[in-house]
Amino acid sequence: MKEYRIVLLKGDGIGPEIVTEAVKVLNKTADLFDFSVIYDEADLGGIAIDKHGVPLPEETVAKCKAADSVLLGAVGGPKWDTLPGNLRPEAGLLGIRGALSLFANLRPAMIFEPLRAASPLKDEIIKGSFDIMVVRELTGGIYFGERGREEIDGIKAAYDTEMYTVPEIERIARVGFELAQKRNKKLTSVDKANVLESSRLWRETVIEISKEYPDVQLSHMYVDNCAMQLVRNPSQFDVIVTSNLFGDILSDEASMISGSIGMLASASLNDKQSGLYEPIHGSAPDIAGQGIANPLATILSVAMMLRYSLDQPKAALAIENAVNEALNVAGTPDIYTDGMRKVNCCEMGDLVCEKLVKI
Ligand code: IPM
Ligand code: MG
């Protein structure tokens, strides 16, 4: 029987609640598909600051490096908001992305049929359906560039820098092209090449790499236009590849048009098979501890883990099917609509387990 070692980084806010439900579903999936999972836990974010004085302890990095895969809840909260930038929970998140070289962040956004009414877009704009994969560069650009503060003639100033190297652009472009090849063979590269030099290099490099993928139809879009097109005609997109900052912004937008940010999963991959999986939403401190958070984005992150890191595509599909089945009958408060049973976080985890069937 295959055995996988998974590190859980439950994090802050609703993190522990949603990870608990995802583990429940993973355990049930393991039973059905004949594999076993050994869990370890480590601290990241606010909890790590409280327990160890830093958002990313060495031990957490070591445990994650040794694991087959990592499942993360969420980090951050008002309690740590006044700390200096390098000691905030978010610095732990950026740190673990960097330490594990997780350069490719995959954020799928699609319409879940039972949640169609939850999308803020009109039916005629959704045009049946959409299924977008945002590929966000995750270990470069302005998130990791030089930043600082200075005083110029007594006036306070601050700066952050966006820099990309050709190899960084090449490797993320390849991830985009390869995903497009497995999907509808359309790749949109998003940049701001009409203004930024780093975007001009991005575009040139993506065009070079496109020669290796003649079967993929490549187009380029400025980020402001892309933000508009996502709410004007989302079904025009298949795979979007973009920089760290643009991907951060566009993936929130893409998630919202699918109904709820509480539904969407993500995978962060390096050039090894292991990876880090997390919901794209935050730690929601306003509802933490109430047991009403939506665990589905984390459960769907487990499905992505099974597909991209653990080589269990059938188990991944089984979870995705079970989530859709669950949504036909019930919803947590964020996605609940008339005709659904209103359930809490734990009941939603139980329901997905109940709907899981072997395929
Ligand atoms: C995300 C989040 C993070 C990011 C924050 C919490 C640092 O918004 O994963 O999208 O900006 O990358
Ligand atoms: Mg974000």
XYZ file of all heavy atoms in Angstrom, residues 187-226:
326
model
N -3.581 30.039 -24.367
C -2.832 30.658 -23.264
C -2.867 32.173 -23.427
O -2.526 32.701 -24.495
C -1.377 30.161 -23.269
C -0.487 30.747 -22.158
C -0.947 30.274 -20.784
C 0.973 30.345 -22.372
N -3.279 32.876 -22.375
C -3.235 34.333 -22.373
C -2.137 34.766 -21.412
O -2.191 34.457 -20.224
C -4.586 34.925 -21.901
O -5.628 34.338 -22.665
C -4.604 36.440 -22.075
N -1.140 35.461 -21.928
C -0.078 35.980 -21.072
C -0.436 37.421 -20.716
O -0.699 38.238 -21.594
C 1.257 35.918 -21.821
O 2.249 36.581 -21.065
N -0.484 37.691 -19.426
C -0.939 39.008 -18.971
C 0.235 39.826 -18.453
O 1.031 39.343 -17.631
C -2.025 38.847 -17.874
C -2.404 40.201 -17.288
C -3.249 38.156 -18.453
N 0.358 41.055 -18.947
C 1.481 41.902 -18.542
C 1.072 43.373 -18.609
O -0.107 43.692 -18.802
C 2.700 41.629 -19.447
C 2.413 41.934 -20.915
O 1.692 42.913 -21.207
O 2.902 41.191 -21.779
N 2.021 44.247 -18.452
C 1.767 45.690 -18.614
C 2.911 46.222 -19.473
O 3.659 47.133 -19.083
C 1.709 46.342 -17.219
C 1.270 47.787 -17.212
C -0.211 47.998 -17.533
C -0.511 49.470 -17.668
N -1.868 49.751 -18.158
N 3.057 45.555 -20.651
C 4.198 45.838 -21.519
C 4.133 47.219 -22.162
O 5.122 47.678 -22.745
C 4.315 44.755 -22.601
N 2.983 47.891 -22.060
C 2.918 49.261 -22.594
C 3.594 50.265 -21.656
O 3.830 51.405 -22.020
C 1.457 49.672 -22.877
C 0.515 49.396 -21.711
O 0.893 48.713 -20.758
N -0.694 49.907 -21.781
N 3.935 49.809 -20.436
C 4.567 50.720 -19.475
C 5.843 50.139 -18.860
O 6.860 50.819 -18.755
C 3.583 51.083 -18.331
C 4.262 51.993 -17.313
C 2.327 51.760 -18.886
N 5.790 48.874 -18.449
C 6.879 48.327 -17.629
C 7.923 47.565 -18.447
O 7.580 46.709 -19.267
C 6.297 47.372 -16.571
C 5.216 47.943 -15.643
C 4.709 46.856 -14.697
C 5.763 49.131 -14.851
N 9.199 47.853 -18.170
C 10.282 47.168 -18.859
C 10.280 45.673 -18.521
O 10.507 44.817 -19.381
C 11.627 47.811 -18.465
C 12.765 47.535 -19.415
C 12.454 47.872 -20.877
O 11.825 48.919 -21.144
O 12.832 47.076 -21.750
N 10.004 45.364 -17.245
C 9.972 43.949 -16.843
C 8.884 43.202 -17.621
O 9.043 42.031 -17.963
C 9.742 43.831 -15.332
O 8.606 44.579 -14.957
N 7.796 43.882 -17.937
C 6.724 43.264 -18.723
C 7.138 43.078 -20.182
O 6.718 42.129 -20.835
C 5.469 44.136 -18.692
O 4.710 43.914 -17.530
N 7.982 44.013 -20.685
C 8.421 43.852 -22.071
C 9.307 42.617 -22.195
O 9.198 41.839 -23.141
C 9.122 45.123 -22.566
C 8.124 46.269 -22.766
C 8.721 47.434 -23.533
N 9.285 48.443 -22.647
C 8.605 49.491 -22.144
N 7.323 49.657 -22.435
N 9.196 50.363 -21.361
N 10.174 42.410 -21.186
C 11.014 41.203 -21.194
C 10.134 39.964 -21.047
O 10.367 38.930 -21.672
C 12.042 41.260 -20.051
C 13.014 40.083 -20.015
C 13.931 40.067 -21.235
C 13.853 40.085 -18.738
N 9.118 40.062 -20.203
C 8.158 38.967 -19.995
C 7.549 38.561 -21.343
O 7.554 37.397 -21.725
C 7.071 39.440 -19.017
C 6.008 38.429 -18.725
C 4.939 38.114 -19.521
C 5.908 37.590 -17.559
N 4.183 37.143 -18.918
C 4.742 36.807 -17.724
C 6.682 37.439 -16.403
C 4.333 35.877 -16.767
C 6.266 36.515 -15.448
C 5.104 35.743 -15.631
N 7.049 39.548 -22.067
C 6.361 39.268 -23.330
C 7.314 38.647 -24.356
O 6.985 37.643 -24.991
C 5.715 40.550 -23.866
C 4.695 40.273 -24.944
C 4.004 41.530 -25.412
N 2.913 41.942 -24.544
C 1.762 42.456 -24.987
N 1.562 42.627 -26.284
N 0.823 42.831 -24.141
N 8.515 39.259 -24.497
C 9.500 38.712 -25.464
C 9.814 37.255 -25.143
O 9.910 36.417 -26.034
C 10.849 39.449 -25.323
C 10.941 40.816 -25.954
C 12.115 41.618 -25.335
O 13.196 41.031 -25.018
O 11.915 42.815 -25.159
N 9.982 36.982 -23.851
C 10.385 35.631 -23.440
C 9.260 34.635 -23.682
O 9.498 33.517 -24.162
C 10.795 35.637 -21.945
O 11.753 36.687 -21.751
C 11.393 34.315 -21.520
N 8.039 35.032 -23.371
C 6.898 34.134 -23.591
C 6.772 33.824 -25.091
O 6.516 32.681 -25.483
C 5.592 34.742 -23.015
C 4.377 33.903 -23.396
C 5.683 34.860 -21.487
N 7.000 34.833 -25.923
C 6.926 34.608 -27.376
C 8.000 33.607 -27.820
O 7.738 32.701 -28.614
C 7.051 35.952 -28.143
C 5.787 36.789 -27.901
C 7.271 35.725 -29.640
C 5.840 38.217 -28.431
N 9.209 33.737 -27.276
C 10.285 32.781 -27.595
C 9.863 31.354 -27.242
O 9.991 30.427 -28.039
C 11.553 33.117 -26.786
C 12.611 33.945 -27.480
C 12.838 33.596 -28.931
O 13.311 32.464 -29.196
O 12.550 34.454 -29.796
N 9.357 31.190 -26.008
C 8.982 29.853 -25.523
C 7.816 29.278 -26.328
O 7.712 28.066 -26.525
C 8.619 29.915 -24.007
C 9.843 30.311 -23.177
C 8.057 28.592 -23.493
C 10.972 29.312 -23.192
N 6.957 30.165 -26.851
C 5.770 29.679 -27.583
C 6.173 28.853 -28.808
O 5.403 28.021 -29.274
C 4.887 30.855 -27.996
O 5.504 31.594 -29.030
N 7.403 29.064 -29.292
C 7.856 28.302 -30.472
C 7.944 26.804 -30.170
O 7.861 25.973 -31.063
C 9.202 28.838 -30.959
C 9.074 30.268 -31.465
C 10.404 30.883 -31.856
C 10.198 32.350 -32.229
N 11.419 33.152 -32.055
N 8.107 26.480 -28.869
C 8.161 25.056 -28.484
C 6.769 24.441 -28.394
O 6.635 23.233 -28.213
C 8.837 24.904 -27.102
C 10.269 25.370 -27.066
C 10.788 25.469 -25.621
O 10.265 24.772 -24.722
O 11.725 26.268 -25.402
N 5.750 25.285 -28.436
C 4.374 24.779 -28.255
C 3.468 25.272 -29.385
O 2.538 26.049 -29.154
C 3.816 25.237 -26.902
C 4.664 24.815 -25.717
C 5.709 25.623 -25.242
C 4.432 23.599 -25.073
C 6.497 25.223 -24.164
C 5.210 23.190 -23.997
C 6.234 24.006 -23.549
O 7.011 23.616 -22.494
N 3.739 24.833 -30.606
C 2.971 25.360 -31.748
C 1.487 25.024 -31.694
O 0.678 25.686 -32.343
C 3.638 24.688 -32.958
C 4.362 23.506 -32.405
C 4.739 23.838 -31.001
N 1.119 24.025 -30.900
C -0.309 23.642 -30.823
C -1.096 24.535 -29.869
O -2.320 24.427 -29.780
C -0.432 22.171 -30.384
C 0.338 21.866 -29.104
O 1.365 22.546 -28.833
O -0.090 20.969 -28.355
N -0.401 25.414 -29.132
C -1.119 26.294 -28.193
C -1.279 27.680 -28.816
O -0.326 28.258 -29.337
C -0.367 26.407 -26.844
C -1.052 27.408 -25.915
C -0.266 25.040 -26.172
N -2.493 28.205 -28.745
C -2.767 29.535 -29.282
C -2.450 30.571 -28.195
O -3.107 30.635 -27.166
C -4.252 29.565 -29.653
C -4.710 30.827 -30.329
C -6.247 30.892 -30.294
O -6.952 29.870 -30.311
N -6.763 32.111 -30.214
N -1.396 31.364 -28.456
C -0.946 32.340 -27.455
C -1.509 33.721 -27.770
O -1.481 34.168 -28.908
C 0.589 32.396 -27.456
C 1.230 33.536 -26.653
C 1.004 33.336 -25.152
C 2.729 33.634 -26.948
N -1.998 34.403 -26.736
C -2.335 35.816 -26.914
C -1.785 36.612 -25.736
O -1.423 36.039 -24.702
C -3.846 36.008 -27.050
O -4.481 35.518 -25.901
N -1.688 37.914 -25.894
C -1.159 38.787 -24.837
C -2.236 39.788 -24.461
O -2.980 40.259 -25.316
C 0.079 39.536 -25.332
C 1.138 38.625 -25.828
N 2.070 38.047 -25.013
C 1.385 38.148 -27.072
C 2.857 37.276 -25.726
N 2.457 37.312 -26.983
N -2.290 40.113 -23.188
C -3.303 41.066 -22.739
C -2.697 41.950 -21.649
O -1.968 41.446 -20.793
C -4.490 40.279 -22.184
C -5.798 41.011 -22.198
S -7.139 39.959 -21.566
C -7.848 39.343 -23.066
N -2.990 43.220 -21.689
C -2.558 44.097 -20.596
C -3.414 43.803 -19.368
O -4.601 43.481 -19.484
C -2.700 45.572 -20.986
C -1.843 45.984 -22.151
C -2.338 46.811 -23.150
C -0.529 45.540 -22.254
C -1.552 47.193 -24.225
C 0.267 45.913 -23.334
C -0.250 46.734 -24.312
O 0.525 47.097 -25.372
N -2.810 43.968 -18.211
C -3.495 43.540 -16.985
C -4.780 44.318 -16.719
O -5.769 43.752 -16.232
C -2.523 43.586 -15.780
C -2.020 45.001 -15.510
C -3.169 43.012 -14.523
N -4.804 45.582 -17.066
C -6.034 46.347 -16.822
C -7.167 45.840 -17.708
O -8.305 45.663 -17.264
C -5.798 47.866 -17.013
C -5.075 48.224 -18.297
O -4.541 47.318 -18.980
O -5.026 49.422 -18.637
N -6.822 45.532 -18.958
C -7.822 44.971 -19.859
C -8.285 43.599 -19.358
O -9.474 43.276 -19.374
C -7.225 44.870 -21.272
C -8.242 44.401 -22.294
O -9.445 44.572 -22.111
N -7.762 43.776 -23.355
N -7.342 42.800 -18.869
C -7.686 41.463 -18.379
C -8.673 41.549 -17.210
O -9.643 40.787 -17.135
C -6.429 40.707 -17.977
S -6.759 39.033 -17.436
